[in-house]
Amino acid sequence: MKSVWLQENKWEDVERYLQKKKTIIVPVGSVEQHAKHLPLGTDSFVANKVAEDLGQQTDTLVAPPNWVGWAPHHMAFPGTITLRPETLISLMYDICKSLIYHGFEKIIIINGHREANLPPLKIAITKLRNETGAFLAIADPFYIAKKIGGEIKKSEPGGAGHADEMETSHMLHLMPELLEMDKAVRNIHLKHPFLQHDPFVEGDTIFVPSDVAGYREGSKNIGVVGDPTVSTAENGKTYHRELMKNLIEFVRYCEEEVEVTIRKREIPL
């Protein structure tokens, strides 16, 4: 292949690729506020870079980036763009169904938007799995590198959330030129234990959706939930290295261990 990016190749290149390999990576993120120190495109920058690195290290094609996700609560701040969840479901369904039609049988979605994108993405790939028999998986950088994230984090309980320590450290490693760390501020939530937003804090939780007004107030009109002030590029590098190690292992597992029987191929109409 001339490039890991699908859109930079010719259709004949893809035809030859499919004769040897049936796996493709699909990055999806979000364009939403990330406080005053991180760029709006943080989630997409991360998804795209992770997908590109993974494609290069495993000789796997990467589909065109999907920059916009489901981010209604972040509409509290200018610049955020959100899709309706139904739109994101349809978008990912059509993209993946097109790929399946051409012969891709194993699709790994790199989601840079953490939990917010997961419900629509799960619905889309579950429908496709049951309709076509293709193997589809969602790899979220936060969850697939959660172990190392917990080991290297410096912030106190409540320090993980949004525009937080780990997101900031990761971006300090990937794209430091886009950050303004002198604008990073700490915003630790003190909440009822069942409403704890920090996934590194053990305990039972109850889900309550965010809205625009509540998110603006809860983030102190800044957009931060957590503590990005303790972030370092070194921790971001460690985090990225472990993330890539896990993803490479998963790609190899998909290619060597996962057996697929495609039941249905059709053009999305």
Side-chain angles (χ1 to χ4, degrees), residues 1-5 9-10 13-14 16-17 59 61:
M1 304 299 291
K2 296 177 176 62
S3 166
V4 296
W5 290 104
N9 288 278
K10 312 298 189 299
D13 299 323
V14 179
R16 285 191 291 269
Y17 175 90
D59 295 320
L61 267 179

Side-chain angles (χ1 to χ4, degrees), residues 84-138:
R84 289 169 293 156
E86 298 84 359
T87 303
L88 184 55
I89 291 169
S90 296
L91 175 67
M92 295 306 297
Y93 177 91
D94 287 351
I95 288 170
C96 294
K97 194 170 186 181
S98 296
L99 295 170
I100 293 166
Y101 176 80
H102 290 304
F104 292 97
E105 298 179 352
K106 301 170 184 180
I107 299 173
I108 300 172
I109 296 171
I110 305 295
N111 172 42
H113 189 30
R114 298 197 195 173
E115 289 181 290
N117 271 349
L118 289 180
L121 294 180
K122 286 180 178 179
I123 291 170
I125 70 168
T126 300
K127 290 177 66 177
L128 285 165
R129 172 65 175 169
N130 283 281
E131 288 178 14
T132 70
F135 177 84
L136 301 102
I138 302 168

